[in-house]
Amino acid sequence: VTVSSELSRRPNKWENPTVLVTSGIHPGESSGMNAGMMFLRNIVMKEEYKSILESINFLFVPILNVRGYLRQSPNGRMNQYGPNSSGRR
């Protein structure tokens, strides 16, 4: 997901610094993905956060480990309490 106030769609043409944020590194950890999407929603929709986009561009990768995220199972880590479903490492 790319969020920027700059007109160019090509990141190599941007003048402002770019922040890269990744989540979903470990399977079964969706909190980072949800928090990242909520943060992006806030800086786009809420007036008090819109000034952030005037000085910084954001690149957000919601799920870095796609294979691990897709291979979730309740039997992934038998000796661990919670979560109910986990992916493969």
Side-chain angles (χ1 to χ4, degrees):
V1 179
T2 304
V3 180
S4 173
S5 64
E6 297 198 41
L7 297 177
S8 175
R9 291 184 178 218
R10 300 177 65 192
N12 62 339
K13 301 288 184 186
W14 290 345
E15 293 181 16
N16 291 340
T18 301
V19 175
L20 172 65
V21 178
T22 61
S23 65
I25 298 169
H26 300 105
E29 296 177 354
S30 61
S31 299
M33 176 179 52
N34 295 335
M37 296 303 282
M38 289 169 57
F39 174 72
L40 293 179
R41 178 198 63 201
N42 288 343
I43 65 171
V44 170
M45 301 298 289
K46 295 189 176 186
E47 288 297 324
E48 61 264 28
Y49 298 117
K50 286 190 176 182
S51 64
I52 294 173
L53 289 180
E54 294 174 5
S55 58
I56 295 176
N57 302 305
F58 287 95
L59 298 176
F60 178 61
V61 181
I63 303 172
L64 187 64
N65 181 2
V66 176
R67 181 175 283 185
Y69 184 81
L70 293 175
R71 294 183 64 192
Q72 293 191 29
S73 164
N75 303 321
R77 299 177 191 160
M78 302 299 276
N79 59 347
Q80 177 177 318
Y81 292 112
N84 293 334
S85 170
S86 63
R88 306 257 173 139
R89 295 182 183 176

